[in-house]
């Protein structure tokens, strides 16, 4: 039986960078320095272009409707029923080679850094993370979501990062984190590890996460040098988060089961989020396709 480590999954996530369960002051300070140094690289004309792009994204987030979308309505980037991991992966690679911002893993990583360690359990290496494995087979309910990450190596001219490993996790439709939240402390769903292919891609089948109080809808992930390192919780290369676009969140949260997320989304924005707020998730906002009937595909280029 897995052990519950906290009583409320929402309170600690209100400020990931300051949480007592995160990786400590040294990690947070180095993260802040690295992100500020990255933004400084875009001084002059480059900075102007970046600020325009970020400003547009922040405006979209701040004005996101809490009533948008009906069944069968599609995301703006794809026609109904055309969501595929392949098309999303192609879109994800059409970005610059800027390193993805380093972020806190938050209080519920399940990687051994805060109590429980799912990475050491047999069955964690999998593509479909919607169900628990081991002693439970409970399935997380929600709108289907396929997540495709495309990894590139900044130390090697941003060549595809083949043979690396990605550990990915997020909350369920109710805003609970498996292994930690009391309601799902005996579950380990919505967590999984996979090795990247020759093109640097890795794909997870999951469900669309909730928007809980105080945080913009997001997905956590860690990058390891290889699969053996990931399952041994060693040789961590990068830790970051993927942000989900406001337009898609509006569509999903208008469906049954996500009612609480409508209210919570109306109270947050990318501009005010304590993780994405410094640059409006300029390098972390997923490209989306799909619809609420067939599911969505989220894609993100991850340079490390």
């Amino acid at each position: 039986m897995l052990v519950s480590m906290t009583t409320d999954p929402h309170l600690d996530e209100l400020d990931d960078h300051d949480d007592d369960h995160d990786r400590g002051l040294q990690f947070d300070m180095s993260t802040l320095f690295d992100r500020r140094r990255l933004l400084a690289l875009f001084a002059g004309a480059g900075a102007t272009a970046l600020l325009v792009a970020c400003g547009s994204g922040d405006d979209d987030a701040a004005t996101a409707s809490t009533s948008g979308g009906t069944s069968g309505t599609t995301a703006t980037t794809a026609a109904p029923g055309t969501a595929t991991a392949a098309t999303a992966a192609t879109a994800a690679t059409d970005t610059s080679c800027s390193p993805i911002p380093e972020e806190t893993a938050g209080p519920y990583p399940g990687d051994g850094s805060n109590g429980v360690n799912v990475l050491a359990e047999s069955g964690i290496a999998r593509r479909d993370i919607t169900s628990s494995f081991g002693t439970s087979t409970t399935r997380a309910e929600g709108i289907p979501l396929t997540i495709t990450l495309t990894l590139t190596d900044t130390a090697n001219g941003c060549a595809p990062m083949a043979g690396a490993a990605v550990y990915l996790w997020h909350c369920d439709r109710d805003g609970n984190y498996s292994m930690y939240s009391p309601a799902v402390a005996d579950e380990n769903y919505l967590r999984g590890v996979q090795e990247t292919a020759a093109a640097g891609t890795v794909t997870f089948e999951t469900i669309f996460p909730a928007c809980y109080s105080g945080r913009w809808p997001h997905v956590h992930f860690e990058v390891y040098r290889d699969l053996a390192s990931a399952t041994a919780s060693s040789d961590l290369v990068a830790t970051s988060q993927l942000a989900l676009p406001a337009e898609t969140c509006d569509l999903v949260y208008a469906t049954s089961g996500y009612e609480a997320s409508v209210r919570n989304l109306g109270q947050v924005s990318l501009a005010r989020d304590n993780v994405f707020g410094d640059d409006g998730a300029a390098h972390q906002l997923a490209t989306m396709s799909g619809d609420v009937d067939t599911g969505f595909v989220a894609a993100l280029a991850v340079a490390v």
Side-chain angles (χ1 to χ4, degrees), residues 7-299:
T7 59
D8 191 335
H10 303 155
L11 295 179
D12 290 334
E13 275 282 341
L14 291 180
D15 192 346
D16 282 341
H17 290 293
D18 294 333
D19 191 272
D20 291 338
H21 298 306
D22 292 339
R23 296 169 185 254
L25 179 60
Q26 182 178 2
F27 173 82
D28 288 343
M29 292 301 293
S30 63
T31 296
L32 181 62
F33 174 77
D34 289 342
R35 298 194 74 179
R36 295 299 180 268
R37 182 174 61 182
L38 174 63
L39 292 176
L41 295 177
F42 290 89
T48 301
L50 178 60
L51 289 174
V52 169
C54 292
S56 175
D58 290 347
D59 290 342
D60 289 343
T63 59
S65 169
T66 58
S67 61
T70 58
S71 178
T73 304
T74 64
T76 57
T77 55
T82 60
T84 65
T87 57
T90 300
T93 59
D94 188 22
T95 64
S96 68
C97 193
S98 300
I100 194 155
E102 188 77 8
E103 305 290 5
T104 175
Y108 317 113
D111 60 1
S113 63
N114 179 28
V116 292
N117 184 7
V118 73
L119 296 177
E121 297 185 16
S122 176
I124 186 61
R126 60 204 184 127
R127 175 188 174 107
D128 189 339
I129 63 175
T130 55
S131 298
S132 290
F133 60 91
T135 59
S136 174
T137 57
T138 301
R139 186 176 184 85
E141 298 297 326
I143 297 297
L145 175 65
T146 299
I147 300 174
T148 296
L149 305 180
T150 302
L151 273 62
T152 54
D153 187 353
T154 58
N156 188 28
C158 267
M161 196 170 181
V166 175
Y167 168 43
L168 183 143
W169 74 98
H170 60 82
C171 71
D172 63 17
R173 186 172 62 180
D174 297 316
N176 294 319
Y177 282 87
S178 67
M179 306 177 71
Y180 292 90
S181 304
V184 292
D186 294 330
E187 306 296 344
N188 52 25
Y189 57 45
L190 308 183
R191 299 177 183 274
V193 175
Q194 281 199 85
E195 184 179 47
T196 59
T201 57
V202 62
T203 298
F204 292 90
E205 303 293 342
T206 185
I207 57 102
F208 207 94
C211 176
Y212 52 82
S213 181
R215 277 303 317 275
W216 186 261
H218 62 283
V219 173
H220 294 269
F221 63 91
E222 294 175 339
V223 178
Y224 290 85
R225 185 57 57 186
D226 51 41
L227 189 59
S229 297
T231 54
S233 300
S234 64
D235 202 8
L236 179 63
V237 176
T239 304
S240 197
Q241 298 181 28
L242 173 152
L244 293 162
E247 295 85 353
T248 309
C249 291
D250 284 339
L251 297 176
V252 173
Y253 297 158
T255 65
S256 177
Y258 287 96
E259 289 82 3
S261 292
V262 175
R263 179 185 65 253
N264 292 332
L265 185 65
Q267 298 173 345
V268 297
S269 72
L270 278 172
R272 295 191 302 269
D273 187 74
N274 67 335
V275 171
F276 304 125
D278 57 353
D279 62 1
H283 300 289
Q284 295 159 283
L285 190 63
T287 299
M288 303 295 300
S289 60
D291 56 60
V292 296
D293 292 326
T294 61
F296 289 93
V297 175

